[in-house]
Amino acid sequence: MPATNSKNGQESILLIDDNEEYLGALAHALEASIKGEVEVRTWLPTEDDPLVKLDSLVDDDTILVATDYDLTSQVRGLFGMTIVGWCQKRLIPVGDFSRKNIADLPKEPNLFELRVPATEEEGAAFISATASGFRELRRSLTANPEILKAKLSLAGVLATLLRKRELESQFALYMTRLGASNSSLLDQLRRFAGPEQPTDDEKRQLLAYVLGHVLPNAILKYPGPILSEKALCAYIATADEEGEALAQIFESERYAGPFSAQGRYYWRDQVDDRIDALAGNIDSAKFEMFSDYNRASVEKAAGRKLANHGCQRCGGTKGGFLCPFMRRPVCLRPDCSVSASSWVPQGAQLCRVERDFYDEWAPLLGL
């Protein structure tokens, strides 16, 4: 079932908490961040039938819902997971946070979840950046109606919106078995397969919902065609502290698409072209690993040695890959990392798992 009809035509974000003071502080911080571009709605649940009230607060123009995990101080038995399930069934982006029982809420969200930081400042910044990403997807799909008629794959839609059609096959690797990650998504697809054909608005809602989760929770999180700042540092085989310096060198290679407000991201193919331009007459064939060539090229352009990262195996001078669990650079040496395709999305070509971490956990997980 899609969201209810728009109530006033203005895009909105709904914040839900059972602590009035925190709810007000979060709303104030969010309003300062989005500067009136979106209506900020708040709800302190007190109703006997809270889902009826929720339905009155959400409509077709609701971009995002953010809810506290534990709402029981106001309504007995009401938890954020109820709100999350209600929103997911209606293809409404939803994030949750926890201030009281932080350990009860995993830090890592599922593919179709959004995990909101618990503090007012960080939470507002995350909600603002995430809502901006969904808004941009919605508007791009509306501005390009031919996409709905072109019968493109989901990866093809994303590649078209990002003006990177040549990357469709790489994006497609992140999108295998999406239905297994969200049963509500399967329900929607089954409905669309019946006699009740979806409208263009429903198609756009579905596309924005799916792509709005795949982008931040998979493609931007696990480096492949797009590199986060941390992944770029690993790609250049240097420490995270060089992120600011690399941002200046690779400014023209920045990713500026949906969810780019969440951090600095870079197009890998453009980074490679820039590295080759910086290398000049450096012979890539003389280096043991591609990360050695990357580092040497950037050091030549910077006119100095880059900071070494913390790996004791190589002295912090090799890399090329990011371990998404240890959150640090790793390289192709067999004692440093291992390719573990079942641990990361298939498209994450620049992810490898740190060797000691893998050896510790792989037997326990049966992988």
Side-chain angles (χ1 to χ4, degrees):
M1 178 187 299
T4 57
N5 292 331
S6 175
K7 295 172 176 57
N8 59 15
Q10 184 179 8
E11 293 174 314
S12 65
I13 298 170
L14 175 61
L15 307 179
I16 306 171
D17 202 310
D18 60 350
N19 182 304
E20 187 171 7
E21 181 180 356
Y22 179 81
L23 182 61
L26 179 60
H28 179 75
L30 180 58
E31 287 169 344
S33 177
I34 62 177
K35 300 177 181 177
E37 294 181 7
V38 176
E39 178 188 1
V40 177
R41 300 175 181 173
T42 59
W43 177 34
L44 184 77
T46 57
E47 295 79 7
D48 292 334
D49 194 343
L51 295 186
V52 172
K53 178 64 175 178
L54 177 61
D55 187 65
S56 73
L57 293 168
V58 172
D59 55 50
D60 289 342
D61 294 310
T62 300
I63 305 168
L64 180 67
V65 174
T67 179
D68 186 14
Y69 174 75
D70 186 351
L71 302 167
T72 56
S73 72
Q74 295 290 336
V75 179
R76 184 176 181 180
L78 180 62
F79 286 91
M81 66 180 69
T82 302
I83 308 296
V84 169
W86 189 93
C87 290
Q88 287 181 339
K89 187 175 181 180
R90 291 158 177 78
L91 303 183
I92 301 168
V94 57
D96 50 7
F97 55 86
S98 178
R99 291 173 291 103
K100 289 171 279 190
N101 302 306
I102 296 177
D104 291 342
L105 195 61
K107 292 182 179 180
E108 290 296 323
N110 295 325
L111 181 58
F112 287 93
E113 277 187 289
L114 301 167
R115 191 71 74 239
V116 181
T119 65
E120 292 96 329
E121 294 78 10
E122 291 180 330
F126 176 87
I127 292 169
S128 177
T130 302
S132 175
F134 279 103
R135 288 179 75 202
E136 188 171 350
L137 282 172
R138 281 184 172 199
R139 293 180 177 186
S140 295
L141 288 165
T142 301
N144 296 275
E146 69 280 0
I147 287 178
L148 299 183
K149 299 178 177 64
K151 296 184 178 180
L152 298 171
S153 68
L154 190 61
V157 171
L158 180 60
T160 300
L161 292 177
L162 298 181
R163 296 182 175 86
K164 285 281 190 177
R165 288 304 306 272
E166 69 276 12
L167 296 181
E168 178 179 352
S169 61
Q170 294 187 46
F171 291 145
L173 295 174
Y174 285 91
M175 301 182 189
T176 58
R177 298 182 60 79
L178 286 180
S181 302
N182 188 334
S183 58
S184 296
L185 179 60
L186 286 179
D187 289 342
Q188 288 290 336
L189 293 176
R190 290 190 185 101
R191 185 174 72 83
F192 290 165
E196 183 185 354
Q197 290 300 298
T199 65
D200 285 351
D201 284 343
E202 288 177 321
K203 291 178 182 177
R204 279 190 287 267
Q205 181 186 17
L206 177 63
L207 288 171
Y209 179 82
V210 175
L211 294 178
H213 288 88
V214 171
L215 252 176
N217 284 347
I219 295 174
L220 297 182
K221 183 177 180 181
Y222 296 98
I226 302 176
L227 309 178
S228 66
E229 182 175 288
K230 185 179 285 289
L232 178 63
C233 290
Y235 197 56
I236 307 298
T238 188
D240 291 350
E241 65 194 69
E242 295 285 8
E244 190 65 41
L246 294 182
Q248 297 179 30
I249 294 173
F250 294 99
E251 176 62 30
S252 61
E253 286 67 51
R254 286 278 293 272
Y255 164 79
F259 303 98
S260 58
Q262 291 186 351
R264 292 182 181 136
Y265 299 94
Y266 304 86
W267 289 108
R268 179 191 172 185
D269 57 348
Q270 295 177 206
V271 167
D272 287 339
D273 291 342
R274 178 69 169 151
I275 288 173
D276 289 340
L278 296 175
N281 59 1
I282 294 178
D283 182 8
S284 62
K286 73 176 185 178
F287 294 99
E288 179 185 9
M289 299 179 184
F290 73 86
S291 60
D292 300 336
Y293 167 73
N294 292 350
R295 179 173 172 130
S297 300
V298 174
E299 286 181 339
K300 177 183 177 182
R304 64 176 177 84
K305 292 291 185 182
L306 296 176
N308 297 342
H309 56 83
C311 182
Q312 298 180 355
R313 298 183 180 96
C314 65
T317 61
K318 294 186 179 295
F321 301 87
L322 179 72
C323 173
F325 305 101
M326 301 298 290
R327 304 292 295 159
R328 70 170 185 81
V330 292
C331 71
L332 284 169
R333 284 173 43 163
D335 64 335
C336 182
S337 72
V338 60
S339 176
S341 58
S342 61
W343 292 38
V344 298
Q346 291 184 34
Q349 299 169 342
L350 294 181
C351 281
R352 288 176 67 89
V353 180
E354 196 272 338
R355 180 87 239 185
D356 291 343
F357 181 89
Y358 179 83
D359 288 345
E360 177 180 2
W361 290 103
L364 293 175
L365 297 175
L367 299 173

